Amino acid sequence: MFGRTLDVLESCNGVARFHFNYLCGRPVGAADYIAVAKSYHTVFISDIPVMSMRIGDKARRFITLINELYNHHCCLFCTAASSMDDLFKGTDEGPLFDLESFQFETETEDTKLRKDVFAVGSISSVGAPAGIAPLLSGREEMFASRRALSRLIEMQTPLYLEGVRVLHPYFQRQKGDLETAHQSPAKLQASSSQASF
């Protein structure tokens, strides 16, 4: 996608296996994950670490990957350094998304004070106070990590898993190919019987 290649070294019959760092540890994006999700109904991901600020970019990519696998109704199997409940809680280094890190400090008479970004700030071109963009980004990331966890939980339910064979594009293509194969002889017979009249 967009000049990037994503080699799938281990795959067979709509199933693919990846290492976490291969999918999330390099500059790939949603378009790459969509291509994976459309091509493979079942994806195995190994060695998923606990998400932390130190690997924030990988965490964001992982969240995007989970969203695309979920949106395309893929079956996901993975190995991780923690349970799902602890995956987005951070490490000893600190939480994944720390709202304190998004606060701004200002110097006033040799004293550092926290600036209330909701009360003061100029209006940016998008209409929000310019100072709160990083704060909103942190909140959006926390929401995204919670949504990813919720989706990981849902992806284990019988209803979701049963739907993979019906809803995933891989099986939709197979169903379409079978219907085309069954319709083609009927069309040929119909046209030959029309010719005989």
Side-chain angles (χ1 to χ4, degrees), residues 158-192:
L159 182 62
Y160 180 91
L161 294 171
E162 290 167 12
V164 171
R165 283 201 161 288
V166 177
L167 300 171
H168 190 274
Y170 179 89
F171 295 110
Q172 293 290 325
R173 283 189 304 272
Q174 280 189 339
K175 182 180 174 186
D177 291 346
L178 284 174
E179 288 173 358
T180 303
H182 289 290
Q183 289 174 357
S184 295
K187 287 181 183 177
L188 290 175
Q189 291 173 354
S191 63
S192 63

Side-chain angles (χ1 to χ4, degrees), residues 95-121:
L96 175 57
F97 304 113
D98 179 15
L99 281 180
E100 283 296 309
S101 69
F102 294 105
Q103 295 291 322
F104 298 96
E105 292 186 351
T106 183
E107 298 276 342
T108 307
E109 300 174 355
D110 298 324
T111 308
K112 288 190 175 191
L113 300 172
R114 295 267 180 218
K115 183 176 178 181
D116 183 354
V117 294
F118 287 114
V120 181

